[in-house]
Amino acid sequence: MSLLEITGLSHSFGDNLLYKDSELSLNKGEHIGVVGQNGTGKSTLIKICTEQVIPDTGRIIWQPNITIGYLDQYAQIDAGMTMKAFLKSAFSDLYSIEKMMNQLYEQATDNNIAGLELAAHYQEKLELSDFYLIDTHIEQVTSGLGLLAIGLERPIEHMSGGQRAKVILAKLLLEKPDILLLDEPTNFLDKEHITWLADYLSNLENAFLVVSHDFGFLDKISNRICDIDNNKITKYYGTYSEFLRKKTLLREDYVRQYSAQQKEIKKTEDFIQKYKAGRKAKMARGRQKQLDRLDRMEALDEKEIKPVFRFSKLPLTDTTHLMVRHLSVGYQYPVLSDIYFTIKGGQKVVITGFNGIGKSTLLKTLIGQIPILQGEFSVSEQVTIGYFEQDLVWADGTMTPLQIISNAYPDLPIKEVRKHLAQCGVSSKHAMQQIDTLSGGEQAKVKMCLLTMYPCNFLILDEPTNHLDMQAKDALRAALQEFSGTVLLVSHEEAFYRDWAQRVIHIEKAMKK
């Protein structure tokens, strides 16, 4: 029996159909990468598996008595806990066994043989579970994810959003559930830690489902691919690279068969039309019956919406647009201290650094969302900033993209609103759907649409590619290359900015020692 069996799955949001009568199985040891364009339902599939979303139809059957680990980067955590205490909670069952064992040993007497035997049984269970290596395992995982350097005694409340997300992932890996469900686990990881995670997952005996737009990562970790396309879920055996080759061949074969069937249908319909009232009417009726019984192939949806981003520009000068001196940023205490750098008008600058160091905190300080802790920065009076925040948070998640854009630009005719959304790759169906029911990629496109409509000459972008598929990333890359204003980008994807960035600031080196 498979660990997970999904049958007859159909689900839609309003008029937007995601899957129709689809199925998927997850067997022991299978490492499945989930792929598909933005908006096809990858994250929704994970939410259906975790019962966060109830499908319209279908059965989701889990094998009894298995443990399921789901990466929820927004999970509630006791902010006062230290990282080590939070990670140790992954082994709470073992610590409970240790407590019972110690109590039995303390209460033991020569006459209490049964108590001593039970304590010995508990001790053997702890040893088999590597209980006495917990600290070693915690150090291995936190080191691999880049957390060890910030200190295991660091309170959760003193961590950046990226650090907090990595701590949640670390706990999940330490728990070693029978099945892992991971939605975009690399979003908060840099190259070195993505490599570590890929090695860890590829060597894992347990099964998992992983949604990712990092195809190099998927190629390393997956031995199966779940492709969501054309309202169907199809499972392919092999790596991501093998899947691409197989899908291309199958698609070409399907198109040939579909074309041949359409020609035969047209030929039959012409015959029926020509002879339905003549001497061959009986033959025409027979052909009509054959046509009615025909299992017709569905046309593939070739209408891929390719986004085009165009940023509204304001006049630009070559003066210094941003000057940062002795700047320390953070919340209750600094996560980055004594930062120095300047950016001139028209420069395209990328900030890098290991995830969790505080890059997002720096950007939020520069746009005035959080106060300066120490030092100063100055922005030219000629500068108008356009900001893209990586967190997908909305004031009202029940609003549609159409309403969001209309509220931001109330004087804009609804026809123009639809045009702007379509240009940014948001389909007419998605434009009428609640924003919190859209995929991360679709939500990112709506945020990008808002940004393209705001005239500015200085773009500050915080990990804008996290949720975007390849087409949207290519469109954003082209738009930033074309933009004549200043750009300050935080990104962990070197391939995205390598061809157009004029300068890269390694944030660790921007801090004065």
Side-chain angles (χ1 to χ4, degrees), residues 153-224:
E153 299 304 324
R154 175 75 64 91
I156 302 289
E157 62 185 346
H158 292 169
M159 292 183 178
S160 68
Q163 290 171 338
R164 185 179 177 279
K166 288 198 288 186
V167 171
I168 294 171
L169 175 59
K171 182 182 179 232
L172 197 58
L173 298 181
L174 289 166
E175 287 173 334
K176 293 187 177 178
D178 297 319
I179 296 174
L180 276 171
L181 303 175
L182 307 178
D183 191 358
E184 298 287 2
T186 63
N187 274 359
F188 294 96
L189 301 178
D190 56 29
K191 189 188 304 183
E192 177 187 352
H193 306 133
I194 290 173
T195 300
W196 180 88
L197 182 61
D199 290 340
Y200 181 94
L201 292 176
S202 61
N203 291 315
L204 200 63
E205 292 183 2
N206 296 355
F208 57 70
L209 278 171
V210 175
V211 174
S212 180
H213 287 112
D214 187 331
F215 302 133
F217 175 73
L218 283 181
D219 217 23
K220 292 177 183 176
I221 68 169
S222 304
N223 54 31
R224 307 283 189 273

Side-chain angles (χ1 to χ4, degrees), residues 201-303:
L201 292 176
S202 61
N203 291 315
L204 200 63
E205 292 183 2
N206 296 355
F208 57 70
L209 278 171
V210 175
V211 174
S212 180
H213 287 112
D214 187 331
F215 302 133
F217 175 73
L218 283 181
D219 217 23
K220 292 177 183 176
I221 68 169
S222 304
N223 54 31
R224 307 283 189 273
I225 294 295
C226 162
D227 178 43
I228 305 178
D229 184 30
N230 216 48
N231 309 130
K232 289 290 183 182
I233 298 174
T234 307
K235 183 176 175 182
Y236 292 83
Y237 289 76
T239 64
Y240 179 76
S241 296
E242 291 168 337
F243 147 73
L244 286 179
R245 290 192 290 272
K246 290 176 185 175
K247 182 176 181 179
T248 299
L249 292 173
L250 288 171
R251 196 177 185 90
E252 289 173 351
D253 185 53
Y254 188 94
V255 169
R256 281 195 295 269
Q257 290 184 45
Y258 175 79
S259 178
Q261 187 184 67
Q262 289 299 302
K263 288 179 181 178
E264 190 62 32
I265 290 171
K266 179 68 167 60
K267 181 180 175 182
T268 303
E269 288 176 340
D270 289 346
F271 180 89
I272 294 168
Q273 187 65 31
K274 184 175 181 180
Y275 296 111
K276 64 181 180 180
R279 58 189 180 83
K280 294 184 179 181
K282 185 176 180 180
M283 189 181 298
R285 288 194 296 272
R287 295 278 181 95
Q288 183 62 59
K289 288 179 180 178
Q290 290 178 357
L291 207 57
D292 293 340
R293 292 193 297 265
L294 181 66
D295 185 13
R296 298 193 181 215
M297 299 173 72
E298 293 184 12
L300 292 177
D301 186 5
E302 301 291 347
K303 295 182 291 183

Side-chain angles (χ1 to χ4, degrees), residues 206-489:
N206 296 355
F208 57 70
L209 278 171
V210 175
V211 174
S212 180
H213 287 112
D214 187 331
F215 302 133
F217 175 73
L218 283 181
D219 217 23
K220 292 177 183 176
I221 68 169
S222 304
N223 54 31
R224 307 283 189 273
I225 294 295
C226 162
D227 178 43
I228 305 178
D229 184 30
N230 216 48
N231 309 130
K232 289 290 183 182
I233 298 174
T234 307
K235 183 176 175 182
Y236 292 83
Y237 289 76
T239 64
Y240 179 76
S241 296
E242 291 168 337
F243 147 73
L244 286 179
R245 290 192 290 272
K246 290 176 185 175
K247 182 176 181 179
T248 299
L249 292 173
L250 288 171
R251 196 177 185 90
E252 289 173 351
D253 185 53
Y254 188 94
V255 169
R256 281 195 295 269
Q257 290 184 45
Y258 175 79
S259 178
Q261 187 184 67
Q262 289 299 302
K263 288 179 181 178
E264 190 62 32
I265 290 171
K266 179 68 167 60
K267 181 180 175 182
T268 303
E269 288 176 340
D270 289 346
F271 180 89
I272 294 168
Q273 187 65 31
K274 184 175 181 180
Y275 296 111
K276 64 181 180 180
R279 58 189 180 83
K280 294 184 179 181
K282 185 176 180 180
M283 189 181 298
R285 288 194 296 272
R287 295 278 181 95
Q288 183 62 59
K289 288 179 180 178
Q290 290 178 357
L291 207 57
D292 293 340
R293 292 193 297 265
L294 181 66
D295 185 13
R296 298 193 181 215
M297 299 173 72
E298 293 184 12
L300 292 177
D301 186 5
E302 301 291 347
K303 295 182 291 183
E304 296 180 356
I305 301 178
K306 296 181 180 180
V308 177
F309 302 119
R310 292 192 182 94
F311 295 106
S312 300
K313 304 167 189 175
L314 288 178
L316 181 73
T317 63
D318 60 359
T319 58
T320 297
H321 273 195
L322 174 65
M323 182 179 294
V324 176
R325 291 287 181 269
H326 297 292
L327 185 64
S328 294
V329 301
Y331 293 88
Q332 295 183 353
Y333 84 106
V335 292
L336 288 171
S337 301
D338 214 10
I339 309 167
Y340 278 72
F341 65 87
T342 59
I343 298 177
K344 291 185 177 181
Q347 276 192 318
K348 292 183 169 64
V349 179
V350 176
I351 290 181
T352 66
F354 68 82
N355 280 76
I357 194 173
K359 302 185 297 296
S360 296
T361 306
L362 171 61
L363 296 193
K364 288 176 181 178
T365 304
L366 295 178
I367 65 162
Q369 272 194 14
I370 59 176
I372 296 171
L373 292 185
Q374 196 173 2
E376 62 180 358
F377 72 88
S378 60
V379 178
S380 170
E381 293 180 357
Q382 299 166 332
V383 160
T384 300
I385 292 175
Y387 174 59
F388 182 95
E389 183 177 9
Q390 65 169 301
D391 295 332
L392 300 176
V393 180
W394 304 92
D396 183 355
T398 64
M399 293 180 69
T400 66
L402 210 59
Q403 292 170 327
I404 290 170
I405 304 297
S406 293
N407 281 6
Y409 298 93
D411 295 332
L412 200 65
I414 199 70
K415 183 178 179 181
E416 287 299 306
V417 173
R418 291 182 182 276
K419 180 181 176 182
H420 281 287
L421 284 167
Q423 187 178 48
C424 291
V426 181
S427 69
S428 56
K429 289 182 179 180
H430 286 153
M432 297 295 292
Q433 195 173 315
Q434 281 186 201
I435 191 71
D436 59 4
T437 65
L438 295 178
S439 71
E442 295 302 297
Q443 291 187 47
K445 289 175 186 174
V446 176
K447 291 183 70 173
M448 198 61 69
C449 181
L450 282 168
L451 185 57
T452 60
M453 296 170 69
Y454 179 71
C456 63
N457 53 17
F458 193 159
L459 286 171
I460 296 183
L461 310 171
D462 190 4
E463 299 283 9
T465 62
N466 270 355
H467 301 280
L468 298 180
D469 58 27
M470 196 58 67
Q471 285 186 339
K473 286 182 184 180
D474 290 343
L476 180 57
R477 182 189 296 110
L480 292 174
Q481 284 177 316
E482 182 189 347
F483 184 63
S484 58
T486 310
V487 176
L488 178 59
L489 169 77

Side-chain angles (χ1 to χ4, degrees), residues 70-73 77 83-84 86-91 134 137-148 152 156 159 162-177 180 182 185 189 196-197 200:
Y70 166 60
L71 177 59
D72 181 5
Q73 64 193 43
I77 302 178
M83 187 202 314
K84 189 170 186 178
F86 177 70
L87 295 179
K88 279 192 169 185
S89 69
F91 308 98
I134 284 178
H137 292 323
I138 287 176
E139 287 191 9
Q140 288 172 342
V141 172
T142 52
S143 175
L145 294 176
L147 290 166
L148 192 59
L152 292 174
I156 302 289
M159 292 183 178
Q163 290 171 338
R164 185 179 177 279
K166 288 198 288 186
V167 171
I168 294 171
L169 175 59
K171 182 182 179 232
L172 197 58
L173 298 181
L174 289 166
E175 287 173 334
K176 293 187 177 178
L180 276 171
L182 307 178
L189 301 178
W196 180 88
L197 182 61
Y200 181 94

